Amino acid sequence: MVKINENYLKLKAGYLFPEIARRVNAFAAANPDAKIIRLGIGDVTEPLPKACRDAMIKAVEDMGQRDLFKGYGPEQGYAWLREKIAQFDFQARGCDVDPSEIFISDGSKCDTGNILDILGHDNTIAVTDPVYPVYVDTNVMAGHTGEANDRGEYAGLVYIPITADNDFTAAIPTEKVDLIYLCFPNNPTGSTATKEQLQAWVDYARANGSLILFDAAYEAFITDPAIPHSIYEIPGARECAIEFRSFSKNAGFTGTRCALTVVPKSLVFKASDGSDVQLWQLWNRRQSTKFNGVSYIVQRGAEAVYSEEGQGEVKALISFYLENAKIIREKLTAAGLSVYGGVNAPYVWVKTPSGLTSWEFFDKLLQEVNVVGTPGSGFGAAGEGYFRISAFNSRENVEEAMKRITENLTI
Ligand code: MLT
């Protein structure tokens, strides 16, 4: 009889966002007149940049012409896109990243999960707490953890709290860990990491032979010029870090799907027989075997992000969402709540009032003012007592949600 992957049975409840959707749908069914505003999942609302749409329309036309038609593309992504990314996103910031080290994919969520294919099963794994749940759940699925305790913490993982008590700084662990997930600007807290903090992580990783998985999906929201956008701005990172990036949050590709992962060729670790192995080779092999690349049409759309018109439109989108974040911060602060993040990130992290748990505050917001956010405890035990509000929505919805909270919520 077939055996199932019983590691899945260790997973707590549903994946966070489907679980929220389930609760919201149940509320909507029971309250059909409620005008629900969703500031939960970080999904963009504003239309795709025209530069991207035009490029995709042209690419569709290409597909209708025999001489321009494309079948399977390179599994790693088209060279013209990888070259633009290397130039604009990395070399322009002084990062030594070659186009051949960039792998185009259909999402950072997929890549942060898939990367486990090329890593062993005996690594000690550190995550921040709270954390983007994908890092934890994919390790649970792969059998890298034990069972969860009643706080939702899995045995075998090292949790690094990032809370208001430590100014949302991920402290270097005292024990030795092999694999470290870092996400800055941070999902969910909206905090950032300074060059010095990231340098400390790179130094730690190099001293311990560890690998940093650096999720930079929100780098476009950095407004402070002192904050690094890429881990490769940090000397030594090419020897110890993989970086994930996405077109989802800057160019609104959450539904269009395009992302990238940088695996430097200088990332070399030892196999059990003592030989040196380039992670690039393993990831290249993995992608060539399990992935057929992102569609030509979508890659042309992503390429247009780097056109003059595209750059202007992306900048406008980022400013739009950051202005939403500012409104959220200001209104919630005025309502007497403690708020964090939302300056270099599209997420505002709120301390729940009156000692309410994260889910109690979720229910209160939904029931009293029909506004949806994300309970902090869904991101980890240290997220308990916090709540995430996403700035990804129309101005009208953000203003209306803040009006309802400041005027009608009983805090
Ligand atoms: C979030 O709300 O945390 C994001 O939508 C997660 C993601 O990008 O998958």
Side-chain angles (χ1 to χ4, degrees), residues 11-166:
L11 291 164
K12 297 295 279 183
Y15 180 59
L16 177 60
F17 296 106
E19 174 63 19
I20 290 171
R22 194 185 61 74
R23 292 185 186 217
V24 173
N25 291 342
F27 177 82
N31 301 273
D33 295 332
K35 291 202 169 29
I36 297 171
I37 298 178
R38 291 173 166 80
L39 303 177
I41 190 165
D43 194 4
V44 294
T45 53
E46 302 310 295
L48 276 184
K50 183 168 181 311
C52 302
R53 283 182 280 134
D54 287 347
M56 287 193 278
I57 290 167
K58 159 123 192 4
V60 170
E61 294 301 335
D62 290 352
M63 295 298 264
Q65 295 181 48
R66 183 166 297 280
D67 54 337
L68 295 177
F69 170 80
K70 301 279 184 295
Y72 291 125
E75 293 91 350
Q76 301 80 359
Y78 284 100
W80 34 259
L81 176 56
R82 302 163 87 196
E83 280 158 14
K84 293 261 167 46
I85 294 168
Q87 181 193 338
F88 280 79
D89 288 342
F90 296 103
Q91 291 158 7
R93 292 193 178 278
C95 305
D96 175 19
V97 171
D98 187 79
S100 66
E101 298 175 318
I102 295 169
F103 293 80
I104 308 300
S105 77
D106 60 346
S108 285
K109 179 178 175 178
C110 328
D111 279 359
T112 53
N114 291 337
I115 201 73
L116 295 178
D117 276 7
I118 65 164
L119 301 169
H121 293 296
D122 302 323
N123 291 312
T124 308
I125 300 161
V127 293
T128 61
D129 184 6
V131 68
Y132 180 40
V134 173
Y135 314 151
V136 171
D137 287 4
T138 53
N139 275 292
V140 176
M141 291 169 176
H144 297 168
T145 71
E147 299 289 339
N149 64 19
D150 52 11
R151 283 162 50 87
E153 296 161 323
Y154 288 93
L157 290 185
V158 174
Y159 289 93
I160 303 168
I162 48 171
T163 65
D165 295 338
N166 62 14

